[in-house]
């Protein structure tokens, strides 16, 4: 079964859960709580920095608990997003913002799982991600009446209950200012096996980019064992830097043309000081090897993930 099909089946299951916006099937990592009322999650008024709240939802976790919350929001008018800023209080591990298909259920906040994603990704953030400013003339578009879905991975590492409100703020521009529509894809590998008591252990993955376009931003995403990431397109180095779990940031934007059929390679390095091997997984205690790569134009269809596995 393909990852795309798994994602869509997960959304279909999510849509059928509960009788209102605040109740859902708790899923495999549900704990004792089944959902939290999101409250007003679309706010069209600008804050002091010029951001508006695109989507946000409340969550709560018991001591040591790890979970996923999905917040779905119908956007009442067409918007063009030129800047993203994560709402990420303590406990927010990562945020994935996708556009949901029509059958994905009512607006609101529910417990879900890591595979509850729409087919088109427009933003992602990790721990310590700073705001992402798209290049002039480039914007992510959400059509009027389209539903967005933010998948929040939250983890309470403390011995006390923890709660917060996570989501995504954006800066908007007029449609007349947009010349290119943006899209982001997770590129890398899901074939990970990091031996116990190992250092400088390397895994590599690649994504074949089928549609010509331009790449313009990258954010590395690994978990707590990751130490370094290198991203290349042929002989061109797009990212080459140490990785820190608490500072997962987009670098400076760039402009890299890509022809159809070229392969983008992602090389991840890990140190595993534990007595057990660590493999791929969504949990903070497992590992990932992804570069979040922004491009234009978007391609349809295009998986949220393009990875060797």
């Amino acid at each position: 079964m393909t990852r795309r099909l798994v994602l869509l089946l997960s959304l279909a299951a999510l849509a059928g859960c509960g009788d209102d916006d605040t109740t859902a099937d708790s899923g495999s990592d549900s704990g004792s709580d089944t959902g939290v009322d999101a409250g007003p999650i679309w706010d069209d008024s600008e804050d002091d920095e010029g951001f508006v709240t695109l989507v946000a939802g409340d969550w709560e976790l018991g001591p040591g608990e790890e979970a996923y919350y999905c917040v779905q929001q119908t956007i009442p008018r067409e918007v063009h997003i030129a800047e993203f800023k994560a709402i990420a209080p303590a406990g927010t591990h990562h945020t994935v913002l996708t556009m949901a298909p029509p059958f994905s259920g009512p607006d609101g906040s529910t417990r879900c799982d890591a595979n509850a994603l729409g087919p088109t990704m427009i933003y992602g953030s990790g721990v310590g991600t700073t705001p992402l400013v798209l290049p002039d003339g480039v914007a992510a578009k959400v059509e009027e009446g389209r539903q967005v879905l933010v998948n929040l991975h939250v983890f309470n590492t403390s011995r006390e209950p923890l709660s917060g409100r996570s989501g995504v703020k954006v800066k908007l521009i007029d449609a007349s200012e947009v010349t290119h529509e943006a899209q982001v894809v997770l590129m890398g590998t899901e074939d990970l096996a990091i031996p116990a008591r190992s250092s400088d252990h390397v895994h590599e993955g690649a994504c074949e980019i089928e549609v010509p376009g331009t790449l313009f931003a990258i954010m590395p995403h690994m978990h707590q064992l990751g130490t370094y990431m290198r991203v290349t397109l042929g002989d061109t180095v797009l990212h080459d830097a140490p990785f820190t779990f608490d500072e997962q940031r987009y670098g400076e934007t760039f402009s890299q043309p890509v022809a159809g059929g070229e392969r983008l390679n992602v090389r991840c390095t890990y140190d595993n000081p534990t007595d057990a091997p660590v493999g791929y997984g969504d949990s903070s205690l497992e590992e990932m090897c992804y570069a979040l790569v922004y491009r234009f134009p978007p391609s349809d269809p295009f998986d949220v993930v393009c990875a060797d596995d």
Side-chain angles (χ1 to χ4, degrees), residues 7 142 149:
L7 300 181
V142 182
L149 167 66

Side-chain angles (χ1 to χ4, degrees), residues 234-254:
D235 295 330
T236 302
V237 178
L238 302 179
H239 177 88
D240 190 15
F243 175 83
T244 302
F245 179 73
D246 293 332
E247 296 181 359
Q248 300 177 50
R249 299 177 178 177
Y250 289 95
E252 296 293 327
T253 57
F254 53 90

Side-chain angles (χ1 to χ4, degrees), residues 67-285:
Y68 293 82
Y69 280 81
C70 286
V71 189
Q72 299 176 201
Q73 173 63 48
T74 301
I75 307 304
R77 63 181 177 88
E78 182 173 285
V79 296
H80 300 268
I81 301 167
E83 186 171 345
F84 292 93
K85 179 181 180 181
I87 306 169
T92 309
H93 175 281
H94 71 237
T95 301
V96 179
L97 178 65
T98 57
M99 287 191 285
F103 59 79
S104 57
D107 289 352
S109 178
T110 60
R111 286 289 186 103
C112 60
D113 62 35
N115 286 327
L117 302 169
T120 302
M121 184 177 175
I122 56 175
Y123 179 65
S125 69
V127 180
T129 302
T130 50
L132 170 65
V133 182
L134 305 189
D136 289 345
V138 179
K141 182 176 76 172
V142 182
E143 298 170 345
E144 179 181 354
R146 187 72 184 266
Q147 193 176 60
V148 295
L149 167 66
V150 62
N151 186 301
L152 304 172
H153 180 191
V154 287
F155 193 10
N156 180 8
T157 59
S158 75
R159 298 181 180 180
E160 301 295 331
L162 183 67
S163 61
R165 184 174 181 83
S166 302
V168 179
K169 289 188 173 185
V170 297
K171 285 186 180 179
L172 306 177
I173 59 175
D174 191 80
S176 62
E177 302 178 53
V178 179
T179 54
H180 299 290
E181 185 179 341
Q183 182 181 47
V184 62
V185 180
L186 292 163
M187 301 185 185
T189 182
E190 298 177 355
D191 184 15
L192 298 180
I194 305 163
R197 297 294 175 181
S198 63
S199 60
D200 295 330
H201 185 80
V202 173
H203 278 285
E204 294 188 67
C207 170
E208 182 174 336
I209 301 174
E210 298 179 357
V211 178
T214 299
L215 311 181
F216 64 87
I218 289 177
M219 187 192 83
H221 182 68
M222 294 184 279
H223 292 170
Q224 299 179 68
L225 304 184
T227 61
Y228 205 95
M229 180 179 286
R230 179 180 172 90
V231 182
T232 55
L233 182 72
D235 295 330
T236 302
V237 178
L238 302 179
H239 177 88
D240 190 15
F243 175 83
T244 302
F245 179 73
D246 293 332
E247 296 181 359
Q248 300 177 50
R249 299 177 178 177
Y250 289 95
E252 296 293 327
T253 57
F254 53 90
S255 181
Q256 176 62 49
V258 57
E262 290 191 82
R263 289 174 64 83
L264 183 139
N265 186 74
V266 180
R267 177 184 173 96
C268 297
T269 305
Y270 305 90
D271 288 346
N272 180 7
T274 74
D275 293 326
V278 176
Y280 173 85
D282 297 295
S283 169
S284 300
L285 304 178

